[in-house]
Amino acid sequence: MAGFEEPAIYSPEFADTIIPANGTYPFYFSENPSLIAGLSDKSLSLIAPLVAYWVHSLIFHALDVYGTEWAWLAPYRIHESAEVKAKNLVSKSQVVWAVLVQQAIQTILGIIFVDSEETSVDHREKMARMSPILVQSTLLWMGNPHLAQSSLQRWGSSVLYFAYWWAIPTAQILFAFFVLDTWQYFLHRYFHTNKFLYRHFHSWHHRLYVPYAFGALYNHPVEGFLFDSLGAVVAENISRLSIRQTVLLFTFSSLKTVDDHCGYSLPFDPLQILFSNNADYHDIHHQAIGIKKNFSQPFFIHWDTILGTKMTRKEVEERTKKSKRNGLLKENGHANEHVNGHTNGHANGHANGHGDKNGNGNGVANGDHHKLKVE
């Protein structure tokens, strides 16, 4: 048809027109070779989790030590301070040494397996590889090439920018959370169902019947390697995180695991607000009533929910009340048996002592004989 002009969207060059220019970066991005001058990003990914672990732990430890007399804090404390000393089967010094050993193993593993990436990355080139996909997706979605073209000319650059700098990195981090959760749930559950593994390895962690912050990584070294150190490296590699995303994953995971063992159910704690897998949830797992429940860690509870191993605080309270009622009934039953047995025995004894009178009279005779001897 004369005068027909094919829409520009079909031109290979059109995709280049929606690529954001270099230099338009989000606030979190730094063009510097490293986030901290003089410290490589790889080194930061190994050091930041350790600093986060101990600083966060010391905050809660300060509450444990100095907050015992603060009335406002009492309602948020999951266990009384005395319970820590009475019920835990390991000293705090032993806990500290075990955590330091695990963190040393974790650091060595990071040195070996965490990759440093090139400092100079051409982000515009990476977005250039994404832009044709965005063009084709928009065409398929809208169906009308003219409408798709005008939409991309207006919004394409912003959409590509958002996808590259926000959507994809966020999806990678969330996927890393999912991988780590999956890794730890099934390993954790298996270490409870296998008697050998529980007795020789996982029982270490459950020596802390009443968890506290810096005991979060108190594990047998073998378990610590498998659960936390190796699990984090697997999540980082499968999710294809950049080194700076790795810093975020490792540091946030450390903060989260400390918070999950802190011993306080704090309504103003952002980690406890954002995640239902929190200190109160994980504390149930450390109690005898919930030791075969709440295996999920450290982020979400979807595996507990799907596979039927979730236990809420309300369920704990209901089971505790039921157990106490059953115990009281059982106690009353024993008491009734004792009373009935005593009464029946007394009655039988009385009957034997006097009932023989109708027979051979031995009961009375023996009674009289005893009376005579006493006299």
Side-chain angles (χ1 to χ4, degrees), residues 9 14 142 144-156:
I9 194 170
F14 178 78
M142 292 189 166
N144 186 317
H146 296 285
L147 181 60
Q149 180 176 312
S150 63
S151 298
L152 286 171
Q153 285 172 336
R154 186 175 183 182
W155 302 106

Side-chain angles (χ1 to χ4, degrees), residues 224-238:
F225 169 78
L226 290 174
F227 277 46
D228 300 296
S229 304
L230 188 58
V233 170
V234 168
E236 179 249 336
N237 279 276
I238 290 179

Side-chain angles (χ1 to χ4, degrees), residues 30 48 50 57 87 90 92-93 97 160 171 249 305 329 366 374:
S30 170
L50 306 182
S57 293
K87 295 184 177 181
V90 62
K92 290 186 176 181
S93 60
W97 277 112
L160 193 58
L249 174 67
T305 303
L329 289 172
N366 290 340
V374 171

